[in-house]
Amino acid sequence: MMRIKLIRRFFIVLIWILIWQTASMLTGLELLLASPVTVLRTLFEMLTTWDFYKTLLHSLCNIGGGFFIGLAIGIILGMLAGKIKIFEEFIALPLQLMKSLPVAAFVILLLMWFGSKKVSTIITAMVVIPMITNGVREGIRNTDRKLMEFAKVYRMKKINQVRYIFFPESYPYVVSQLKMSLGMCFKAGISAEVIGLVSNTIGTSMYYAKIYLLSAELFAWSLVVIVVSALFEKIVLALSKGLYLLLSR
């Protein structure tokens, strides 16, 4: 069954590559729509340069750092909001602003206040915080009351309540929000780099590729973002599952 699924997916990807190649040939302008072959050749050329890895590492540190900062803050806020109703109401407005306002609006303000150096880190954290907060809060709110009564009766320590009750009960809610935030963090982080022109980053490289009509380089960087974000998502989800299994023992 798995083999059939992989074969089907391979042919779907192949068909889209053929469509891409056909569109490039019909356009007749590599400047506007580079062919798949040209994009792959450009990507391999980029892989042989030190600047590529320096740019990739810089963006990964900024966005990854913002993600884990947002994750930590979201967990703390979610735990407090799940336990204290007035605190939930107090943070509702800033969380709603983080979810509703476009990335560009925040980037412009951050550029005015802090400059471009940490803008992608802050934007990534701001995207993650509301989602994780909501997941943790909902997990705590939906914890089985019978389990809590059991913990009180047997005077279970707070640390054990968190480990054996709150964490397992909250995990499904948190992991669903975690998946959403992982999908959004790279989009927001790269967008912030493009708007803020953060030096030595993927976003800035994509911006200059657009300015100079280097469509092959633009597509190559896009492929890099897709692959790196997918790997980052798998690693984080695997770590979260491993932590869940470890603490649930």
Side-chain angles (χ1 to χ4, degrees):
M1 192 67 181
M2 181 63 72
R3 185 177 298 177
I4 293 172
K5 187 177 180 180
L6 289 173
I7 292 172
R8 185 168 65 242
R9 184 173 296 180
F10 170 78
F11 278 106
I12 289 172
V13 172
L14 182 62
I15 289 169
W16 278 110
I17 291 174
L18 290 174
I19 293 172
W20 177 6
Q21 177 66 36
T22 303
S24 177
M25 292 171 65
L26 290 174
T27 304
L29 291 172
E30 287 279 335
L31 289 175
L32 297 178
L33 184 60
S35 67
V37 175
T38 304
V39 171
L40 286 175
R41 184 167 61 244
T42 302
L43 177 59
F44 286 129
E45 290 173 357
M46 289 165 53
L47 290 170
T48 61
T49 65
W50 167 245
D51 285 340
F52 169 83
Y53 297 100
K54 184 169 68 174
T55 300
L56 177 61
L57 184 61
H58 194 192
S59 285
L60 192 56
C61 288
N62 286 342
I63 297 172
F67 172 81
F68 286 110
I69 290 170
L71 179 64
I73 294 173
I75 290 172
I76 294 170
L77 294 179
M79 291 176 69
L80 292 173
K83 286 290 187 180
I84 308 170
K85 184 65 176 178
I86 188 66
F87 184 79
E88 179 187 9
E89 295 174 358
F90 180 74
I91 64 172
L93 179 58
L95 290 180
Q96 187 60 41
L97 288 174
M98 289 182 195
K99 289 192 291 185
S100 303
L101 283 179
V103 171
F106 279 120
V107 171
I108 293 168
L109 285 173
L110 291 172
L111 288 172
M112 292 171 58
W113 295 339
F114 306 112
S116 64
K117 191 173 182 181
K118 294 297 180 182
V119 67
S120 57
T121 300
I122 298 172
I123 288 295
T124 303
M126 290 175 68
V127 168
V128 174
I129 288 170
M131 298 182 186
I132 300 301
T133 300
N134 183 59
V136 175
R137 182 190 61 208
E138 289 302 308
I140 291 175
R141 290 280 170 84
N142 289 282
T143 299
D144 191 339
R145 297 303 169 191
K146 292 181 180 179
L147 291 176
M148 294 306 302
E149 291 173 4
F150 173 85
K152 287 181 181 179
V153 169
Y154 287 93
R155 298 179 181 180
M156 184 181 289
K157 294 180 180 179
K158 290 292 183 182
I159 187 68
N160 289 332
Q161 289 182 31
V162 172
R163 178 175 179 179
Y164 295 111
I165 298 176
F166 285 117
F167 186 76
E169 291 284 303
S170 301
Y171 180 76
Y173 297 92
V174 176
V175 80
S176 65
Q177 295 294 324
L178 186 64
K179 290 176 181 178
M180 291 176 60
S181 63
L182 284 165
M184 290 295 297
C185 70
F186 268 86
K187 294 178 184 178
I190 297 297
S191 298
E193 291 176 352
V194 171
I195 299 169
L197 292 178
V198 185
S199 59
N200 298 319
T201 59
I202 293 175
T204 301
S205 299
M206 294 177 76
Y207 175 81
Y208 285 126
K210 185 265 293 185
I211 289 292
Y212 296 112
L213 298 178
L214 303 173
S215 66
E217 188 172 325
L218 181 60
F219 277 106
W221 277 117
S222 299
L223 289 176
V224 170
V225 172
I226 292 169
V227 172
V228 171
S229 62
L231 289 174
F232 185 75
E233 179 177 345
K234 288 185 180 299
I235 290 170
V236 171
L237 291 176
L239 288 174
S240 68
K241 186 176 181 180
L243 182 63
Y244 171 75
L245 295 174
L246 179 65
L247 294 180
S248 298
R249 290 179 178 176

